[in-house]
């Protein structure tokens, strides 16, 4: 009896609701007695012993699970993505945003493997491993002569093949990260990437083919969109333009804005400012871009270091600071 009362006292009652006053000893005893009274009278001793033991065991396991989850949480992301994007592996704000793909294609003894992705509403990073023929040492700046990224639900988009540090520059393996952004939604969309001819560019711009061929990999994007949408619906006037900004989407890896107005070429996000005064500018972005059609524009930047979504204070477009009331 004293053991269950001690467990209730220390683990539950005093901390069950943060804003509630602790239960008195009399109240705890009364609640405990009410619980015992509800149990069947036949074989009471045996029943109580078994049920209390199971209850204590379940409660202890639940508490242990919560403690372990808090203390040992790590992002399920490859170290290459963590390193290139300067992401802390204990960053819980990106939980679920990563996805293992592990889809491969081979031609002419060159194998491509889409290993993993990290994405939000409009931006996506794709980790790709390349394995060349065994007798080939991949040059430092090896790349593909042609590359194309397509979505089943197409929209304006842009991409780039990022050359990351080679762990062993004297072997036949190399990894890349594709940075992809689109005006449309990525989650649950079908994506395909086409590659053609693997080699390198000489200083004069001539492409030297090491492995000739074409490779295509397709899969469905399935991950948790951790973006936060800020609805603005406000007019913004600058020296050159007047436009209407509808929404801004913020995630730890990117910021994007949806805009209505003319002269869409001026609607690039130039800066992102945090509440502590930290300013992210062009040199702090892995990529930035904008697309437009008639009166509609979309602008997107991808951070070189993951940010706290709730700490984003404003964005700057066309030299105008726009507070987000985030």
């Amino acid at each position: 009896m004293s053991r269950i009362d001690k467990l209730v006292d220390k683990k539950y009652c005093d901390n069950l609701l943060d804003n509630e006053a602790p239960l008195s000893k009399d109240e705890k005893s009364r609640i405990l007695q009410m619980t015992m009274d509800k149990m069947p009278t036949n074989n009471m001793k045996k029943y109580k012993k078994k049920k209390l033991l199971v209850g204590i065991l379940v409660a202890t396991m639940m508490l242990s699970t919560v403690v372990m989850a808090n203390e040992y949480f790590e992002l399920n992301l490859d170290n290459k993505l963590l390193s290139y994007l300067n992401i802390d592996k204990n960053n819980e704000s990106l939980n679920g945003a990563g996805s293992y793909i592990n889809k491969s294609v081979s031609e002419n003894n060159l194998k491509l493997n889409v290993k993993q992705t990290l994405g939000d509403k409009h931006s996506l990073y794709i980790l790709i491993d390349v394995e060349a023929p065994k007798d080939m040492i991949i040059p430092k700046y090896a790349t593909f002569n042609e590359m194309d990224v397509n979505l089943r639900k197409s929209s304006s988009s842009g991409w780039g093949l990022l050359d990351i540090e080679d762990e062993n520059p004297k072997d036949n393996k190399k990894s890349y990260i594709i940075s992809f952004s689109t005006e449309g939604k990525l989650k649950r969309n079908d994506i395909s990437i086409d590659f053609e001819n693997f080699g390198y560019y000489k200083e004069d711009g001539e492409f030297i083919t090491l492995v000739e061929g074409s490779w295509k990999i397709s899969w469905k994007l399935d991950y948790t969109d951790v973006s936060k949408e800020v609805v603005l619906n406000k007019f913004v006037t600058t020296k050159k333009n007047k436009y209407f900004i509808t929404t801004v989407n913020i995630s730890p890896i990117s910021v994007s804005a949806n805009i209505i107005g003319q002269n869409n070429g001026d609607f690039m996000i130039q800066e992102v400012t945090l509440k502590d005064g930290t300013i992210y500018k062009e040199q702090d972005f892995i990529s930035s871009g904008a697309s437009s059609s008639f009166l509609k524009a979309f602008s997107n930047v991808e951070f070189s270091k993951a940010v706290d979504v709730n700490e984003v204070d404003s964005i700057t477009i066309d030299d105008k600071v726009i507070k987000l009331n985030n």
Side-chain angles (χ1 to χ4, degrees):
M1 187 87 156
S2 61
R3 290 183 181 177
I4 187 66
D5 183 64
K6 187 175 181 182
L7 179 63
V8 170
D9 180 28
K10 289 193 175 181
K11 298 295 182 184
Y12 290 97
C13 294
D14 290 347
N15 296 302
L16 187 58
L17 294 174
D18 292 339
N19 297 322
E20 294 288 338
L23 295 175
S24 66
K25 289 185 178 180
D26 290 341
E27 289 174 319
K28 294 171 189 174
S29 298
R30 182 169 56 83
I31 293 171
L32 182 60
Q33 189 59 51
M34 288 171 63
T35 304
M36 304 295 282
D37 290 343
K38 294 292 183 182
M39 295 180 179
T41 54
N42 294 334
N43 299 319
M44 187 67 169
K45 255 186 164 181
K46 188 175 180 182
Y47 183 89
K48 284 193 290 184
K49 185 175 181 182
K50 286 184 177 180
K51 288 294 182 182
L52 289 180
L53 183 59
V54 171
I56 293 171
L57 182 60
V58 171
T60 303
M61 290 174 65
M62 289 174 66
L63 287 168
S64 300
T65 301
V66 171
V67 171
M68 289 178 67
N70 287 334
E71 290 185 358
Y72 300 108
F73 173 83
E74 287 188 4
L75 280 172
N76 217 3
L77 288 178
D78 189 277
N79 285 332
K80 295 184 181 76
L81 278 171
L82 291 172
S83 177
Y84 193 86
L85 300 175
N86 290 294
I87 298 173
D88 185 341
K89 63 182 179 181
N90 301 119
N91 187 340
E92 294 189 41
S93 67
L94 283 167
N95 189 21
S99 181
Y100 276 103
I101 309 301
N102 285 328
K103 291 203 68 171
S104 301
V105 61
S106 296
E107 184 174 332
N108 295 335
N109 292 321
L110 188 135
K111 177 182 177 181
L112 271 67
N113 179 54
V114 174
K115 189 173 184 180
Q116 195 174 42
T117 65
L118 175 67
D120 58 20
K121 187 172 185 178
H122 296 293
S123 294
L124 183 72
Y125 291 107
I126 306 165
L127 178 62
I128 292 183
D129 290 336
V130 173
E131 185 175 344
K134 290 183 179 180
D135 59 349
M136 179 185 294
I137 296 176
I138 297 179
K140 185 175 182 180
Y141 297 111
T143 186
F144 292 91
N145 188 31
E146 298 287 343
M147 189 184 92
D148 196 14
V149 184
N150 292 289
L151 298 173
R152 178 176 58 84
K153 298 177 182 178
S154 61
S155 58
S156 298
S157 57
W159 60 88
L161 186 65
L162 309 175
D163 195 322
I164 62 178
E165 185 177 355
D166 195 347
E167 295 175 344
N168 186 355
K170 294 184 178 181
D171 67 3
N172 65 327
K173 299 176 182 179
K174 188 172 176 60
S175 297
Y176 299 87
I177 293 176
I178 296 176
S179 168
F180 180 77
S181 63
T182 180
E183 183 179 352
K185 294 181 181 179
L186 285 165
K187 185 179 176 181
R188 294 195 174 90
N189 208 335
D190 294 320
I191 188 171
S192 63
I193 310 177
D194 294 88
F195 303 89
E196 186 173 315
N197 297 338
F198 185 69
Y200 64 94
Y201 285 96
K202 296 171 61 178
E203 291 185 3
D204 60 5
E206 180 187 0
F207 186 79
I208 303 299
T209 299
L210 297 174
V211 180
E212 187 175 0
S214 59
W215 301 261
K216 181 174 184 175
I217 304 180
S218 303
W219 73 97
K220 190 178 189 67
L221 297 171
D222 188 13
Y223 56 86
T224 301
D225 177 13
V226 296
S227 304
K228 178 179 181 180
E229 185 175 85
V230 179
V231 179
L232 292 180
N233 287 333
K234 63 185 292 185
F235 283 100
V236 177
T237 303
T238 67
K239 292 181 179 179
K240 296 182 288 184
N241 298 305
K242 182 176 182 179
Y243 55 90
F244 188 78
I245 183 165
T246 57
T247 58
V248 173
N249 288 281
I250 315 167
S251 89
I253 60 175
S254 77
V255 170
S256 60
N258 292 288
I259 302 162
I260 299 173
Q262 296 180 336
N263 299 321
N264 295 335
D266 296 322
F267 295 152
M268 292 280 293
I269 297 176
Q270 299 163 313
E271 296 178 355
V272 176
T273 304
L274 306 187
K275 293 176 182 178
D276 65 2
T278 302
I279 300 176
Y280 287 84
K281 300 183 179 182
E282 184 179 357
Q283 62 268 28
D284 302 307
F285 303 141
I286 286 180
S287 67
S288 61
S291 62
S292 62
S293 59
F294 192 48
L295 295 178
K296 186 179 178 182
F298 171 81
S299 183
N300 175 271
V301 296
E302 296 173 338
F303 299 114
S304 59
K305 182 178 181 180
V307 303
D308 184 341
V309 169
N310 295 317
E311 290 302 309
V312 177
D313 183 61
S314 67
I315 60 174
T316 301
I317 297 178
D318 194 18
D319 297 323
K320 181 74 173 183
V321 177
I322 302 164
K323 289 283 187 178
L324 299 182
N325 299 320
N326 176 27

